[in-house]
Amino acid sequence: MTKQNWFIVISLILVVTSGVLCFKNLKNFRKSLYWLLFPNIISIWSKKIWNRDFENTFRFDLFVFLSVILVGMNYLIFRFIL
């Protein structure tokens, strides 16, 4: 395998691992993705819905942040060390 193939494989493993850490199961992932794609306009006025909206979208934001950090570190390792 070439260096690029190793980079892609390791990056995919890191993204899947961060997904498992952030969501714990597929139901949480689907719920977070739904709240991210179809936000409820009423959640601005209702505190109960606002908390659910924040809780569900925070997991996805954390997943994206963690994935970017891990893939960025992977890129730096492959770029400068290997």
Side-chain angles (χ1 to χ4, degrees), residues 35-73:
W35 278 91
L36 187 70
L37 293 176
F38 306 109
N40 193 352
I41 300 299
I42 300 172
S43 69
I44 294 171
W45 296 295
S46 174
K47 186 68 172 172
K48 180 182 173 185
I49 297 174
W50 173 268
N51 289 337
R52 280 186 23 212
D53 184 23
F54 179 73
E55 176 185 322
N56 290 322
T57 56
F58 181 72
R59 278 191 216 124
F60 198 82
D61 294 339
L62 184 63
F63 164 69
V64 169
F65 179 72
L66 187 60
S67 296
V68 167
I69 294 294
L70 290 175
V71 171
M73 287 177 23

Side-chain angles (χ1 to χ4, degrees), residues 3-48:
K3 189 175 176 180
Q4 292 173 341
N5 289 344
W6 279 109
F7 173 74
I8 292 171
V9 168
I10 292 173
S11 294
L12 287 174
I13 290 171
L14 289 173
V15 168
V16 168
T17 303
S18 66
V20 168
L21 290 175
C22 291
F23 297 118
K24 306 289 188 220
N25 59 22
L26 194 58
K27 182 181 176 185
N28 287 337
F29 174 71
R30 286 184 292 178
K31 192 185 307 183
S32 296
L33 192 60
Y34 173 80
W35 278 91
L36 187 70
L37 293 176
F38 306 109
N40 193 352
I41 300 299
I42 300 172
S43 69
I44 294 171
W45 296 295
S46 174
K47 186 68 172 172
K48 180 182 173 185

